[in-house]
Amino acid sequence: MHTVSIIGFDGALASAITGIIDLFRLAGVTWARIHGEEPEPMFRTQLLTQAGAPCRCINGITLLADGSWNGDELPAADIIIVPTIGAPIADILARNTGLVHWLSRQDASPSLLASNCTGAFLLAEAGLLDGKEATTHWGFSNQFRQRYPEVICRPEKLVTVDGDIACAGGGMAWWDLGVYLVERYAGPEVSRQLAKAFVIDAGRTSQAPYSALQAKRYHSDSMVLKLQDWLDTNFAHTVSLAELAREAGLSERSLLRRFKAATGDTPNTYLQLLRVEHVRHHLETSRRYIDEIINGVGYEDVSSFSRLFRKHTGLAPGAYRSRFGR
């Protein structure tokens, strides 16, 4: 029987706490019940708060705690999970310095540490992710990168695992995190049964299909913002680095440095993302032919753009329309 500690705090996302507790509690149970077999529970869970008091989640639901993460009256955890931050991230970090300090000491413990979505900010604030690969919600990835430049941020990934630290991406990725952890601790067969019983698509690996380009504007460099506005209008044309440098009034080297620092991408990659985002929008909202949409963003080679589109979204254009089109 493995012990899982879920960390509760005011302003957390309730479903990221209760949902993953359900997954662990019912691993080895639901599948057996479906098939008329004797359940074999694999995990015990405990919701821990600073003083063992209830935590009030962002949706107004109050959850009772099993104890305190600062105490030693409960079993030591094999897995410690930090759920999604639902309230403003900076406020949660400022109000939970004790938790951050406690998490920083867990680096020396044998427990596997995990976070869901923006819960990665608490692990990073504790210094646990420096030099490690991690993921968080795509919409907060630039904020994460700016605050924690030593972390190798992979917002395109749904789940990252680096040593004994696992991170999951967007808000409902606790499904994927839970299934992964069940497989790691209880084996692939129990994990497959759990995914089937809960009707979970266990094959997801990327949150790229859900990301939005707007996250690339989470910065304060006015020159780069102005250049992004210009690219928003001219993305369908052939644009050279020299032309962008003239538009920005910078040398090509300075432009590359500032654009990369502000957005995390080179101008050329950002231009590709603009084109991908434009095609995504039309695939979601129109019934125009795919070739016509791709030609409209300046690509005559449809197969070349399709490869680019798959690289950034994880799906071919036709598959993307089937999943997200209206």
Side-chain angles (χ1 to χ4, degrees):
M1 183 77 75
H2 300 286
T3 299
V4 184
S5 292
I6 297 90
I7 304 303
F9 50 87
D10 290 349
L13 188 71
S15 60
I17 296 175
T18 60
I20 206 160
I21 288 175
D22 286 340
L23 281 183
F24 281 115
R25 286 289 188 97
L26 294 173
V29 176
T30 300
W31 185 260
R33 289 175 177 166
I34 290 171
H35 291 85
E37 301 168 355
E38 186 66 25
E40 294 183 32
M42 305 282 181
F43 299 89
R44 68 168 63 90
T45 62
Q46 50 195 28
L47 176 59
L48 306 181
T49 58
Q50 182 166 6
C55 62
R56 187 170 178 79
C57 298
I58 192 64
N59 62 359
I61 291 176
T62 298
L63 301 177
L64 298 179
D66 297 300
S68 168
W69 46 254
N70 212 21
D72 54 9
E73 71 278 5
L74 293 171
D78 298 292
I79 305 169
I80 297 171
I81 298 177
V82 180
T84 305
I85 296 173
I89 293 170
D91 292 351
I92 294 298
L93 297 178
R95 296 204 308 261
N96 288 276
T97 54
L99 173 58
V100 170
H101 181 64
W102 180 80
L103 286 170
S104 70
R105 301 201 307 272
Q106 303 314 302
D107 197 27
S109 80
S111 304
L112 181 144
L113 294 166
S115 66
N116 187 67
C117 193
T118 47
F121 278 78
L122 283 161
L123 293 185
E125 192 76 6
L128 296 169
L129 299 180
D130 287 353
K132 294 184 180 293
E133 186 175 90
T135 190
T136 187
H137 190 290
W138 59 263
F140 297 93
S141 58
N142 276 357
Q143 181 180 349
F144 186 87
R145 282 174 168 144
Q146 289 171 3
R147 188 172 183 118
Y148 310 111
E150 300 303 315
V151 182
I152 305 167
C153 185
R154 298 283 189 250
E156 74 281 2
K157 292 191 175 183
L158 204 57
V159 176
T160 59
V161 181
D162 196 328
D164 283 333
I165 296 184
C167 299
M172 299 304 289
W174 54 262
W175 284 2
D176 308 273
L177 177 65
V179 169
Y180 162 75
L181 292 173
V182 167
E183 179 177 356
R184 179 161 173 163
Y185 283 85
E189 184 61 25
V190 175
S191 176
R192 282 194 294 270
Q193 292 172 354
L194 182 68
K196 289 178 181 178
F198 274 76
V199 198
I200 295 171
D201 179 5
R204 301 192 307 166
T205 60
S206 173
Q207 58 177 336
Y210 307 95
S211 63
L213 197 61
Q214 191 61 30
K216 299 293 181 183
R217 291 181 175 270
Y218 195 94
H219 62 81
S220 57
D221 190 321
S222 58
M223 184 280 296
V224 174
L225 286 169
K226 183 178 178 181
L227 195 58
Q228 286 175 295
D229 288 339
W230 186 85
L231 285 168
D232 285 345
T233 304
N234 295 278
F235 67 87
H237 305 298
T238 301
V239 180
S240 67
L241 182 62
E243 183 179 3
L244 289 176
R246 287 194 301 272
E247 187 69 26
L250 297 171
S251 68
E252 292 182 18
R253 177 174 294 184
S254 294
L255 170 62
L256 284 171
R257 177 181 55 80
R258 284 183 61 174
F259 203 96
K260 179 82 171 179
T263 69
D265 286 321
T266 64
N268 184 59
T269 300
Y270 182 81
L271 180 59
Q272 290 179 338
L273 287 171
L274 272 175
R275 291 166 173 164
V276 167
E277 193 68 17
H278 182 82
V279 170
R280 282 161 56 113
H281 172 73
H282 282 281
L283 290 173
E284 291 172 9
T285 61
S286 80
R287 299 308 302 170
R288 291 169 59 195
Y289 289 115
I290 292 176
D291 289 11
E292 181 186 349
I293 296 172
I294 292 174
N295 293 156
V297 300
Y299 270 78
E300 294 184 3
D301 188 339
V302 173
S303 61
S304 174
F305 183 84
S306 294
R307 290 193 295 271
L308 176 68
F309 190 89
R310 182 188 288 275
K311 173 185 174 183
H312 287 292
T313 69
L315 297 169
Y320 186 92
R321 170 173 272 172
S322 296
R323 179 177 294 187
F324 298 105
R326 294 177 187 172

